[in-house]
């Protein structure tokens, strides 16, 4: 069962507007619930509680949200999608702050992964002095994965979260470490 509700409040010129999604999925098989959760997570939704999430009404997520909501009934669930063109300023500030916190945490995880995985791997390979083509290819793959994650986070960083510059510097450092490592293998 699908319900769509659009509030009648007029939208302020500088207000964002929000999609509030409330959904319910069958308990079994769990894979259906997980599938919807993963889709919403990939979209960058902010969960307010279990099966209740919110997204800003901006161009990027809107089409994907429509695809996800059409998938819910096909998987045996139901949902209500409420368009909120106007929310109290304190709630809007809380939503924006939560989105920023979520993205800042993801940027920070990227920095930590660079420090604990990528940089340590380069150090390890350099100490091994074998510097194989396979090691270089693996490091390239790791760097590519980090860059893809950064791209995803930035595309979903709708409110300019902290730690973006740290993550960008980390990726630059990874590329520099890899270039130095490759140069040593040629020398």
């Amino acid at each position: 069962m699908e319900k769509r509700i659009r509030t009648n409040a007029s939208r302020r010129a500088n207000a964002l507007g929000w999609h509030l999604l409330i959904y319910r999925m069958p308990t079994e098989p769990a894979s259906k619930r997980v599938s919807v959760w993963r889709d919403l997570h990939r979209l960058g939704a902010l969960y307010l509680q279990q099966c209740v999430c919110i997204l800003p009404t901006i161009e990027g997520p809107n089409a994907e949200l429509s695809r996800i909501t059409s998938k819910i009934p096909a998987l045996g669930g139901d949902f209500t999608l409420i368009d909120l063109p106007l929310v109290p300023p304190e709630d809007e500030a809380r939503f924006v702050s939560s989105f920023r916190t979520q993205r800042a945490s993801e940027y920070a995880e990227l920095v930590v992964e660079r420090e604990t995985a990528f940089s340590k791997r380069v150090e390890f390979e350099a100490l091994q002095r074998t510097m194989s083509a396979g090691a270089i290819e693996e490091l390239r793959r790791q760097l590519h994965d980090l860059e893809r994650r950064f791209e995803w986070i930035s595309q979903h960083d709708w409110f300019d979260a902290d730690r973006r510059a740290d993550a960008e510097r980390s990726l630059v450092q990874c590329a520099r470490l890899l270039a130095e490592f490759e140069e040593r293998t040629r020398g």
Side-chain angles (χ1 to χ4, degrees), residues 73-134:
L75 294 175
D78 60 39
F79 72 93
T80 301
L81 182 62
I82 303 171
D83 293 327
L84 303 170
L86 181 65
V87 298
E90 61 277 2
D91 290 334
E92 187 165 285
R94 189 170 37 90
F95 296 155
V96 169
S97 176
S98 294
F99 273 104
R100 284 183 178 141
T101 299
Q102 190 172 329
R103 295 294 95 80
S105 174
E106 292 162 349
Y107 285 133
E109 288 172 12
L110 194 78
V111 171
V112 167
E113 186 169 331
R114 189 269 310 157
E115 292 169 351
T116 60
F118 190 86
S119 296
K120 297 295 181 196
R121 176 74 190 271
V122 170
E123 288 174 28
F124 173 78
E125 292 297 338
L127 288 172
Q128 295 299 308
R129 298 194 186 270
T130 56
M131 300 183 196
S132 69

